[in-house]
């Protein structure tokens, strides 16, 4: 790292998931296009370490787990579990 974090925002049906999938296919050979948000921090970090560009689907600010923003910052700056 450090790596940037991209947040796509828009109304329902505005193409956020489609754009995320397109960008991911250009950069990351991993077969899983969009993933659901994991329920625990360890799962989140493992998902991020196993692909070049983690892309999560169906996120809303009211539903984000409490760990998500801190864990995303750690992953983007090179942190993780050993």
């Amino acid at each position: 790292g450090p790596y940037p974090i991209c947040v796509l925002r828009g109304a329902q049906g505005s193409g956020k998931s489609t754009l995320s999938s397109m960008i991911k296919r250009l950069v990351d050979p991993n077969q899983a296009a969009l993933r659901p948000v994991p329920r625990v921090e360890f799962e989140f970090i493992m998902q991020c370490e196993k692909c070049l560009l983690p892309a999560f689907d169906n996120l809303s600010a009211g539903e984000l787990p409490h760990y998500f923003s801190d864990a995303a910052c750690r992953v983007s700056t090179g942190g993780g579990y050993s």
Side-chain angles (χ1 to χ4, degrees), residues 5-19:
I5 296 175
C6 177
V7 177
L8 301 176
R9 296 181 68 176
Q12 181 179 355
S14 61
K16 299 176 300 289
S17 295
T18 303
L19 179 60

Side-chain angles (χ1 to χ4, degrees), residues 51-75:
C51 61
L52 296 175
L53 178 68
F56 300 99
D57 197 17
N58 294 328
L59 291 171
S60 63
E63 298 175 7
L64 284 180
H66 67 279
Y67 69 82
F68 193 86
S69 60
D70 288 340
C73 289
R74 274 197 301 279
V75 167

Side-chain angles (χ1 to χ4, degrees), residues 8 15-25 34 53 55:
L8 301 176
K16 299 176 300 289
S17 295
T18 303
L19 179 60
S20 296
S21 294
M22 291 171 60
I23 293 170
K24 185 164 176 63
R25 282 195 306 260
L34 299 177
L53 178 68

